Amino acid sequence: TKAAEKGDPEAELALSGWYLTGSEGVLKQSDSEAYLWARRAANKGLSKAEYAVGYYAEVGIGIKQDIEFAKRWYMRAAAQGNKRAMNRLTEMKRMVLAYVRTIPLMSTTTGPEISLLEFLDLSQLNCLNEDSTHSLKSIVNQKEINKSDNYLESDADEQLLLNIPFNQSVRVRSIVLHASNLDQAPRTIKIVVNRPNLGFADIEDAEEPEVAQILDLAKDEVRDGKPVGLRFVRFQTVNSLHIFVSTNHGGEETTRIDALDILGLPVETTKDLSGLGKQE
């Protein structure tokens, strides 16, 4: 810390990494501080820091997501021979070409995102505390955003735990949760990745970073079904996504979700996992 405060770029970048993850009882996690310390080091010409700033800008850590700004920093790092920056620029070009090829197929997309519902493994899909007559499967079984009268509703209380497996690895950028009844609409949610045997006891009291992200959904986001951005860096290789609905907006006894969408990109190098199933 002292070296960073004296302006040593290596120390500044190291401190950025500490802020990114946090250290209980030592340093509070802060995305904004992580970005600012990396930027200080990058401004001194440290190529590793230039790459870090590009990455933070690309995924929206401590700064509003800005792909063109990210590319500029990647190019600065690449000009100094930084191989990670070179590889990232190559990957971004490849993703743009892949996006152009898929444009005619897109229906519920924003920017370079596609709906990942087509990659759901419906055989392993489940939701804890769902009303048996208003299930999660009823709103996603078409593998597209629900436009029918079906809806998901909780049973014994307002909480829900949606366990959503995919048949291949995906990168998740944002989610959509829409509810026609605002009082029953989800408010506080916790998101976990790759925990297929997750239960309520595992997540009710969990906080970040034990869970990937905690969100307090705004009323207009659930009323209008707006995409809610996630910390993309924490959702890079997702085989299953788990959404715990803790509260709803009206303090109602049950929670209702009319439509769900998950936006992002498939990881093209992975194989279909749906045939593996759960091992007894």
Side-chain angles (χ1 to χ4, degrees):
T1 302
K2 290 182 179 179
E5 291 174 347
K6 291 180 180 179
D8 179 82
E10 291 280 358
E12 288 173 336
L13 182 58
L15 188 55
S16 168
W18 275 98
Y19 272 114
L20 184 63
T21 59
S23 180
E24 188 174 354
V26 179
L27 192 69
K28 185 178 179 181
Q29 194 277 335
S30 171
D31 288 350
S32 60
E33 287 293 330
Y35 171 77
L36 289 172
W37 282 104
R39 182 65 185 271
R40 289 183 185 184
N43 287 341
K44 295 181 175 72
L46 184 67
S47 69
K48 292 184 293 184
E50 291 171 341
Y51 170 83
V53 170
Y55 190 73
Y56 289 172
E58 183 185 359
V59 302
I61 298 175
I63 182 177
K64 184 177 180 180
Q65 187 180 40
D66 189 330
I67 301 300
E68 292 305 315
F69 183 73
K71 285 181 180 178
R72 289 199 295 272
W73 281 101
Y74 284 146
M75 286 189 286
R76 287 178 62 168
Q80 295 196 65
N82 186 287
K83 291 183 178 180
R84 295 181 71 187
M86 294 177 188
N87 292 339
R88 192 70 204 124
L89 287 168
T90 300
E91 175 68 9
M92 292 173 80
K93 288 179 181 178
R94 187 194 63 77
M95 289 173 64
V96 169
L97 291 174
Y99 167 60
V100 170
R101 288 196 297 269
T102 59
I103 285 176
L105 303 176
M106 294 184 185
S107 57
T108 57
T109 64
T110 51
E113 302 169 347
I114 66 170
S115 174
L116 298 174
L117 296 184
E118 66 178 284
F119 302 105
L120 291 183
D121 181 0
L122 294 177
S123 67
Q124 302 295 322
L125 185 89
N126 69 84
C127 179
L128 302 186
N129 194 41
E130 66 179 10
D131 184 321
S132 60
T133 60
H134 299 291
S135 66
L136 171 60
K137 189 168 288 188
S138 74
I139 65 170
V140 298
N141 61 358
Q142 298 301 313
K143 293 193 173 185
E144 61 183 22
I145 196 162
N146 182 46
K147 297 181 178 68
S148 72
D149 294 331
N150 296 330
Y151 59 90
L152 166 63
E153 187 170 15
S154 62
D155 186 13
D157 56 26
E158 77 280 10
Q159 295 185 340
L160 287 164
L161 179 52
L162 289 66
N163 294 307
I164 305 167
F166 299 95
N167 59 28
Q168 70 163 79
S169 294
V170 296
R171 296 186 179 103
V172 181
R173 290 184 179 272
S174 58
I175 61 171
V176 173
L177 291 171
H178 167 63
S180 58
N181 185 328
L182 190 55
D183 286 339
Q184 289 181 287
R187 181 174 181 177
T188 303
I189 66 172
K190 299 179 181 182
I191 307 176
V192 177
V193 299
N194 302 338
R195 293 278 301 276
N197 298 314
L198 193 71
F200 283 115
D202 301 310
I203 195 171
E204 281 184 292
D205 298 322
E207 301 292 337
E208 295 183 23
E210 187 178 355
V211 299
Q213 192 163 356
I214 299 175
L215 293 170
D216 195 21
L217 302 174
K219 290 183 177 180
D220 65 315
E221 289 173 335
V222 286
R223 181 188 62 225
D224 301 332
K226 294 181 178 179
V228 179
L230 303 181
R231 292 176 180 164
F232 187 46
V233 68
R234 299 183 181 179
F235 299 88
Q236 287 285 303
T237 308
V238 179
N239 295 318
S240 60
L241 193 70
H242 313 275
I243 303 174
F244 170 60
V245 180
S246 176
T247 63
N248 56 47
H249 274 278
E252 295 292 314
E253 291 184 2
T254 62
T255 296
R256 171 171 170 156
I257 299 173
D258 290 73
L260 163 74
D261 205 355
I262 302 167
L263 304 174
L265 292 168
V267 179
E268 295 180 0
T269 57
T270 59
K271 297 179 180 179
D272 189 318
L273 303 175
S274 59
L276 297 178
K278 293 182 179 179
Q279 300 298 318
E280 297 296 336

